[in-house]
Amino acid sequence: MLKKIFVANWKMNGSLKIFDEYLLQIQKEYNYKNTELIIAPPFPYINYVKNLIDTKIISLAGQTAVSFNDGARTGDVNCRMLSDVGCNYVILGHSECRVNHNFDNIDAAKTVLSALNNNLNIIFCVGEEKSGLGADEIIVEQVVSALEGVDKSFSSRITIAYEPVWAIGTGLIPETEQILDKRNLIFATLYNLGFIDTKIIYGGSVNVQNMKLIMEGAKINGFIVGKACMDSDNVKKMLEIMEYAENIS
Ligand code: PGA
């Protein structure tokens, strides 16, 4: 069985004090063998978080990166830097970065290659802005452009996160059958490109209440969680659910 993954996307939240308490609680009696926990703190806290975690049980992710080598780019962070400070993952293509940092499908392809060259695994986010017509085309285009020029041998180092933009942070969530439908579309797209070991996860208003149904009904390999990941009790409850959910993928 493939190991499931749980990405805790902290977005622009947290403080030294908050991470102290959070990581203490999460690592207390930590016993989740079927799920890899990946924490994505804001950049200034990456090193601090790294020093507080047991890297055998928790992985670190950067929330975004640019594809460029070192140089005159005020405010940017590249994949080499994330790798240098101990990240083993990077989230790319998140809808908030597509909007706030103008990250487009062309940047996606370049940054995926740069991340792989710097030994980072990738959580690549795709998803339609509004539910309904045209969603499938948008998703397929995002997946195909992200993998442009990427060798199939990297397939296990890439995870596609299906995150409908309209579900992120809104409390709205697609029906489980709709998530399954999009998961199948992504799976078929990956299969046609020869990416057979690429995992597919779901993100967008995931919480303790809705997680089990999605996990069992939508054949996904895990979750990317924003709002609900910032409470250590919630995270432990969700890891517990993932540990015992019937994983049919
Ligand atoms: P949310 O965010 O869980 O708060 O909807 C998910 C994400 O943006 O990755």
Side-chain angles (χ1 to χ4, degrees):
M1 187 173 73
L2 280 177
K3 202 160 182 171
K4 299 166 214 170
I5 65 175
F6 182 107
V7 186
N9 179 11
W10 270 76
K11 308 193 179 191
M12 198 175 68
N13 294 290
S15 66
L16 298 179
K17 194 165 176 289
I18 287 172
F19 281 118
D20 273 341
E21 182 61 16
Y22 178 77
L23 294 165
L24 187 75
Q25 293 307 329
I26 286 197
Q27 292 180 103
K28 210 186 267 174
E29 293 162 29
Y30 190 99
N31 193 21
Y32 310 102
K33 298 198 174 53
N34 298 330
T35 305
E36 179 178 7
L37 174 59
I38 302 164
I39 298 187
F43 292 139
Y45 299 111
I46 289 179
N47 203 42
Y48 190 74
V49 168
K50 185 185 151 202
N51 290 328
L52 291 177
I53 58 174
D54 176 350
T55 49
K56 287 195 286 305
I57 58 171
I58 300 179
S59 300
L60 262 181
Q63 295 181 8
T64 186
V66 296
S67 62
F68 302 94
N69 293 329
D70 298 11
R73 298 190 60 88
T74 305
D76 281 348
V77 166
N78 65 20
C79 297
R80 183 198 64 76
M81 292 170 179
L82 293 179
S83 193
D84 195 32
V85 295
C87 289
N88 23 30
Y89 283 86
V90 60
I91 301 171
L92 295 176
H94 192 284
S95 66
E96 285 151 15
C97 297
R98 288 181 191 265
V99 173
N100 299 340
H101 308 157
N102 297 320
F103 187 98
D104 61 20
N105 285 348
I106 299 168
D107 297 323
K110 288 194 226 146
T111 319
V112 165
L113 288 173
S114 169
L116 292 169
N117 286 336
N118 284 286
N119 296 321
L120 294 171
N121 299 307
I122 297 160
I123 312 291
F124 193 87
C125 306
V126 301
E128 75 281 8
E129 259 164 61
K130 295 198 185 92
S131 91
L133 232 54
D136 288 6
E137 287 75 9
I138 292 168
I139 292 166
V140 170
E141 196 187 335
Q142 287 172 335
V143 173
V144 171
S145 53
L147 298 177
E148 174 120 35
V150 178
D151 195 277
K152 300 184 226 337
S153 60
F154 288 120
S155 84
S156 63
R157 293 205 15 220
I158 301 167
T159 293
I160 302 290
Y162 170 53
E163 290 207 290
V165 180
W166 54 272
I168 296 176
T170 57
L172 301 171
I173 193 148
E175 296 294 329
T176 304
E177 297 71 44
Q178 287 173 285
I179 302 176
L180 175 63
D181 197 49
K182 296 295 185 274
R183 177 264 174 209
N184 290 343
L185 173 75
I186 295 167
F187 185 86
T189 308
L190 292 168
Y191 189 85
N192 288 336
L193 295 169
F195 285 71
I196 42 176
D197 297 323
T198 297
K199 291 180 186 173
I200 304 168
I201 63 174
Y202 171 79
S205 296
V206 174
N207 58 36
V208 177
Q209 284 74 38
N210 59 28
M211 175 174 261
K212 188 167 189 286
L213 201 64
I214 306 171
M215 180 93 237
E216 295 188 339
K219 288 195 185 178
I220 40 122
N221 305 114
F223 298 94
I224 175 165
V225 183
K227 198 165 175 216
C229 85
M230 288 184 264
D231 177 299
S232 56
D233 284 345
N234 265 343
V235 173
K236 293 192 100 164
K237 279 184 201 146
M238 291 191 273
L239 288 170
E240 187 86 13
I241 292 168
M242 290 177 71
E243 196 70 6
Y244 298 109
E246 287 286 311
N247 192 353
I248 30 179
S249 54

